[in-house]
Amino acid sequence: MTTTNRPSRSPEPAGPPPAEGGRHTRPPAAAWISWVALALMTTGSVASLRPSPTMAVYGLAAVFLYVVPAVVFLLPTSLVSAELASGWPGGVYNWVALGISKPMGFLAVWCQFAMTIFYYPSLLGYVAGTLAYVVDPDLATSGWWTAAVIVVAYWSGVWISSRGTKGVAGLAGGGLVLGTLLPGALLVVLGIVFLGKGNPSAAPMSASHLLPAWAGLASLVLIVNNFLSYSGMEMNAVHVSSLRKPGKEFPRAMFLAMGLVLLIFILPALAISWLVPADQLSLTAGVMQAFDTVLAGFGIQWLTPLIGVLLVLASLGGMLTWLAGPSKGLLLIARQEGYLPPFLQRLNGRGVQQNILVTQGAVTTLIALCYAFIPDVSSAYWIFSVITTQVYLIMYLLMFVAAVRLRRKFPGHPRGFRAPMLLGLCGIGFCASLAALLVGFVPPSQFGAGSPWVYLGIVAGGALGLGLLVPFLFHRLRKPSWRQPEVSAS
């Protein structure tokens, strides 16, 4: 995808909160941004076509499955992180370290980093499925093709990032337009024309299908993926202090962004459900399946490879932009507190945390090989997406708890924005995140052919092992010599 759910950066943590009654620093007038601009920035960092095939499986019920997590997760996350960012600079580590404890702060920033280990295989799995339509559509179901694309694309990104290349961030901005907005709008328009010419929809569009069919808990599992689609909002909250009237303008920006994001998510998902039957839909190549179908119907199938190239370039641009961000944040914390061994804190000649990237790449390569050995590529893609979501949700659970504790411990601390009904927002966000985390352990009804115990073992091993066990071991085994706060990480 142009990454909907890009891992957020973790800036250098700040020190203790300033004394009560201290003044909140405001930017100069020239640095102010409008609430509309902030809404568009937020939309650009969240919206993507990548999750569309996942929700297209549900047809019209995709509307319900997008709106619910937006209300119970996206909105609380946006408002709560805005208060934290406007009062305590330093990102999620500083918020959780001050609100709960430093070890919990390390766990939070570790989860921001660790989720990318499974995030990139799922992102690049989408790239592989899309690229297959440029080379040979039959490759979209090949596990070996998918694994090869992941390995080559990831290590190419590591090589580029390790050279300290600048200016890559602009690729993500262009990717929003070229790889998301234009293809998404084209897909929706052609889908509407396709129906207007009298062609039947592959999915029923009657009002009775607004809610997903209930087949037990497993029928709701795919909603978990939408929490990942909406994650990363804590990144955009840092801009709250750049608004002239943050108390009024930030909620407006978030509601506008939520509306735009819902449109970008829902309409392409519906268009895909019109064009491709659910039982034929690939979760990695579903967008290209829909384009291939509708463009063939209009006699312009030659555009399919061009669309595929745009989607791939946008996704790779987003990957390059964010590849080093979470690892850089982890490195800063590790050096200050000694949470990682010196080997992982080492920099190359250009000041890039190359050893972390290479170690992450080795694990990513092993995960990529799972695509070659899991018979169904869509099943592998789904499993990695669930693990990514669950690891990231651990961080959000800590963030909601920290927000409540900071409001109680420092009620008079200056904040540029105070979230309304903070306790209620944190309660809703925490319960929704916990429910999504637990539901993720249930095999979805769409993948009922495999063993549920194998699914549970893979998901639990990945999410709990990487998200909890590994940081626990780092913290338990750390030594005083691991601290290197005097060494520059820039």
Side-chain angles (χ1 to χ4, degrees), residues 318-334:
M319 185 196 77
L320 287 175
T321 302
W322 292 98
L323 184 61
S327 59
K328 182 65 174 287
L330 178 65
L331 177 70
L332 293 169
I333 305 308

Side-chain angles (χ1 to χ4, degrees), residues 456-468:
L456 178 62
I458 295 174
V459 172
L464 301 181
L466 186 64
L468 296 177

Side-chain angles (χ1 to χ4, degrees), residues 111 115 224 228 383-395 397 433 436-442 455 458-460 462-464 467:
C111 288
M115 61 85 72
V224 171
L228 178 63
I383 288 171
F384 296 142
S385 294
V386 169
I387 294 174
T388 301
T389 305
Q390 290 180 304
V391 172
Y392 212 5
L393 284 172
I394 295 172
M395 184 276 293
L397 292 173
S433 299
L437 192 152
L438 296 177
V439 168
F441 290 108
V442 181
Y455 176 91
I458 295 174
V459 172
L464 301 181

Side-chain angles (χ1 to χ4, degrees), residues 17-18 83-91 94-95 98 406-407 410 413 415:
E83 172 166 328
L84 295 172
S86 68
W88 290 272
N94 209 40
W95 305 340
L98 294 171
L406 285 172
R407 176 71 77 89
F410 308 105
H413 180 78
R415 300 160 170 85

Side-chain angles (χ1 to χ4, degrees), residues 336-374:
Q336 288 184 3
E337 303 294 336
Y339 287 127
L340 295 179
F343 171 78
L344 293 178
Q345 298 184 33
R346 220 166 282 157
L347 306 176
N348 65 9
R350 293 179 173 84
V352 176
Q353 59 279 13
Q354 182 171 297
N355 284 9
I356 291 181
L357 293 176
V358 170
T359 303
Q360 180 183 11
V363 179
T364 299
T365 300
L366 293 175
I367 294 172
L369 293 177
C370 292
Y371 277 99
F373 296 104
I374 295 178

Side-chain angles (χ1 to χ4, degrees), residues 129-172:
T130 302
L131 191 60
Y133 276 80
V134 179
V135 181
D136 178 4
D138 290 338
L139 292 173
T141 57
S142 169
W144 286 105
W145 162 263
T146 303
V149 170
I150 292 173
V151 172
V152 171
Y154 182 84
W155 283 106
S156 298
V158 169
W159 180 79
I160 293 172
S161 296
S162 68
R163 298 180 63 82
T165 303
K166 297 182 179 180
V168 180
L171 291 174

